Amino acid sequence: MGLAFTIDSPIKVARFGISSVVSIMSDQLVEDMRKYYGTMYGENHVPIPESEPDFRAKRITAYLNLLDRIVTQQIIVLLFEDFVAGSEISKYFEMLPASAPAKELFIQMTNLAEGSEKMRLQDELRKSIKPGSIDVNIMTKVDKTNYAKTGEALPPEDADAMSALRGYASSDLHSSIIFSAGLNPRLFAYCESFSDFFPDANGYLKKKIILKVSDFRSALIQGKFLAKKGLWVSEFRVESGLNCGGHAFATEGFLMGPILEEFKQKRALLALEMYDICNAALAAKGLPPFAQVPELMVSAQGGVGTSDEHEFLLQQYGLQSIGWGSPFLLVPEATTLDPQTLTQLATAKPEDYYLSNASPLGVLFNNFRNSTADAERRQRIAKGRPGSPCYNKYLSFDTEFTTLPICLASREYQNLKINQINMLELKEEEKTAQIDAVMEKECICNGLTSPAYLAHQLQPPHKLSAVSICPGPNLAYFSDTHSLQEMVAHIYGRKSILNTAQRPHMFINELRLYVEYFQRECNNRHGIVNAKQIAFLKRFQENLLSGIAYYRSLAPDMLENDGSRAKFLNQLCDYETELAGHAMA
């Protein structure tokens, strides 16, 4: 969900029992939001300047503690409210799914006349209220080495992800940290430095670890890596490789259904293996081992759009929860967007969402054609000044032209690279293509923080107000803005807020994205005779065909409606035929 979109979501939704994930990668945004909300809630703001030692970690700790205090205050206020129409305490229970015991108790209470029994049930309901978790996210790839003004590299602990982890670990939160984008050995190992990640004598973990993974193999590797250090992974969050928001990490043609099936079949064995390894490591450290296998949750996210899909994933694969990300961008009560971008998303069409190479990380990036950041990028190119000023330097990793790393979206890098390309003896069309690829990179460090400043009518740093937005393609099937209650009602099947666009099943949507990706890869490699590349494409194709066969066998149990099932099977056949048209040597 980018940097700004959920930066203050706990303040908006935690009191209703809804968990959210805060990105802590931009310490400047974190510091500015701390000032904004601290002032709003009557706290004296004491700035943490960049001149202060370990300022980045301290800013993150201070903001997370502020969020914790605010949510605690909100819960206290909510607990003393009356159960009347429109009150937040009533809203808390009204939004629960019908299957929740507290929802049944709430309905029973509302049907009673005033009296002692009604009061007793209200007291019981109040005791059941729990705030949503204030979880945080660190993208493991955003971990550049930082440098002193003298040009000397700072210690590894001062790298971006490392200091962000330290900031979270030092906070008062009882919650989870989500690591996304793969294994970062030094970052994962750094968790050993903080006692909150280890169990107490009762097996309780104050801070839990969640890994966002794209397949079972990566879960196995990362889970065992952490277990060998005595660190338990409490949840594997399976995310679609392409049918998701933000950066997209395509698998080798493995689709979500088969991936979840593998987790279903191997989850118990994985838990036992991690348990044995973890307990041995804890014993070696002289720490109390787990008395029994701790809970190992598996969840899924990416492209879910209906209550039927939500419920099917829970039941079919034994999942504990389902993530809904991008649709919440249309819910101002839950996420933070500037008015202009919110209006653009609320009226967007499917073709406005596309997979791009805009990220300086060199990873595919879900993008939106009408964003003000893309418009600003084009304006700079038209003026003969491609690239962006680079202040945050979070994505500064390139040393092709400089001693100190610079960002591929920076004006400095793009000027140097374009000059290099112009000096090459290339055909004009090839030269133009290479230059266009250089200029496609977008400054997402500023673009993904701007919405919070604009939404709260604050001056963005360096007056850079252009907005980058990275919704998943599933948002194409939602329009308008919605209340939190409307979105929750949609998730639990009490109403539908889908727009009129014809929306295929989430599995078909993901399959379409993978087939398109496969076709692009084939076209990009056209004319290149490379055994390794051909083997990759063949393996990719075989995995997609295997996934189609799996979905065909799943259709009778997944889709009860004859028409929906027939449509689903026909779409599988169409993509199967399309894939078969690409002969692999």
Side-chain angles (χ1 to χ4, degrees), residues 251-264:
T251 64
E252 292 187 357
F254 295 111
L255 300 172
M256 170 137 342
I259 291 170
L260 292 176
E261 182 67 35
E262 187 172 11
F263 271 94
K264 178 181 178 180

Side-chain angles (χ1 to χ4, degrees), residues 104-116:
E104 296 176 16
L105 197 66
F106 175 73
I107 294 172
Q108 181 184 344
M109 182 275 297
T110 56
N111 290 329
L112 290 174
E114 294 297 331
S116 59

Side-chain angles (χ1 to χ4, degrees), residues 377-440:
R377 181 184 67 83
R378 294 177 185 277
Q379 289 170 4
R380 286 170 173 161
I381 292 171
K383 292 178 180 178
R385 300 195 71 200
S388 306
C390 188
Y391 296 105
N392 295 317
K393 305 186 186 301
Y394 294 132
L395 304 182
S396 296
F397 296 107
D398 190 272
T399 55
E400 181 181 1
F401 302 107
T402 57
T403 301
L404 295 181
I406 58 176
C407 178
L408 298 184
S410 69
R411 185 168 295 148
E412 181 181 8
Y413 173 82
Q414 293 196 8
N415 284 335
L416 290 168
K417 190 64 178 178
I418 290 170
N419 288 337
Q420 182 193 66
I421 294 171
N422 281 326
M423 294 175 65
L424 299 175
E425 295 183 3
L426 300 171
K427 292 181 180 179
E428 280 305 313
E429 59 182 28
E430 186 176 348
K431 186 177 292 187
T432 298
Q434 288 192 23
I435 291 175
D436 286 346
V438 171
M439 296 189 300
E440 186 180 358

Side-chain angles (χ1 to χ4, degrees), residues 300-515:
Q301 62 185 53
V304 183
T306 69
S307 60
D308 287 343
E309 292 172 354
H310 180 104
E311 191 61 28
F312 175 80
L313 292 176
L314 290 175
Q315 299 303 321
Q316 178 67 22
Y317 301 109
L319 305 181
Q320 276 66 45
S321 62
I322 305 297
W324 288 67
S326 295
F328 274 98
L329 289 171
L330 298 176
V331 183
E333 290 178 64
T335 58
T336 297
L337 259 182
D338 60 290
Q340 180 178 346
T341 304
L342 182 59
T343 299
Q344 288 177 321
L345 291 181
T347 56
K349 294 181 170 49
E351 56 267 26
D352 294 327
Y353 303 92
Y354 71 107
L355 202 56
S356 76
N357 290 302
S359 172
L361 276 177
V363 177
L364 290 171
F365 186 71
N366 280 288
N367 218 329
F368 185 67
R369 296 190 192 282
N370 300 320
S371 71
T372 53
D374 187 58
E376 182 180 73
R377 181 184 67 83
R378 294 177 185 277
Q379 289 170 4
R380 286 170 173 161
I381 292 171
K383 292 178 180 178
R385 300 195 71 200
S388 306
C390 188
Y391 296 105
N392 295 317
K393 305 186 186 301
Y394 294 132
L395 304 182
S396 296
F397 296 107
D398 190 272
T399 55
E400 181 181 1
F401 302 107
T402 57
T403 301
L404 295 181
I406 58 176
C407 178
L408 298 184
S410 69
R411 185 168 295 148
E412 181 181 8
Y413 173 82
Q414 293 196 8
N415 284 335
L416 290 168
K417 190 64 178 178
I418 290 170
N419 288 337
Q420 182 193 66
I421 294 171
N422 281 326
M423 294 175 65
L424 299 175
E425 295 183 3
L426 300 171
K427 292 181 180 179
E428 280 305 313
E429 59 182 28
E430 186 176 348
K431 186 177 292 187
T432 298
Q434 288 192 23
I435 291 175
D436 286 346
V438 171
M439 296 189 300
E440 186 180 358
K441 302 303 180 190
E442 182 180 302
C443 178
I444 59 176
C445 292
N446 287 312
L448 292 175
T449 60
S450 295
Y453 292 99
L454 299 176
H456 297 308
Q457 299 181 334
L458 302 174
Q459 178 69 58
H462 312 290
K463 299 183 180 180
L464 295 173
S465 59
V467 171
S468 299
I469 184 80
C470 52
N474 187 47
L475 191 57
Y477 305 103
F478 295 83
S479 298
D480 304 320
T481 57
H482 302 278
S483 69
L484 181 61
Q485 286 177 292
E486 286 175 328
M487 180 58 72
V488 172
H490 174 81
I491 291 171
Y492 293 132
R494 297 193 284 261
K495 69 177 296 184
S496 174
I497 59 173
L498 292 175
N499 60 27
T500 57
Q502 291 297 311
R503 181 185 180 277
H505 190 277
M506 62 173 288
F507 287 159
I508 295 294
N509 268 330
E510 186 193 45
L511 174 60
R512 171 184 62 82
L513 293 166
Y514 267 97
V515 170

Side-chain angles (χ1 to χ4, degrees), residues 12 77 79 94 137 158 196 200 208 341-342 355 369 386 417 454 517 566:
K12 298 183 176 187
V77 171
L79 286 171
E94 288 166 355
N137 172 256
D158 289 327
D196 281 2
D200 64 14
K208 298 179 180 180
T341 304
L342 182 59
L355 202 56
R369 296 190 192 282
K417 190 64 178 178
L454 299 176
Y517 177 87

Side-chain angles (χ1 to χ4, degrees), residues 126 183 198 203 255 300 565 577:
R126 285 190 170 90
L183 175 64
F198 293 106
L255 300 172
R565 190 187 315 120
T577 302

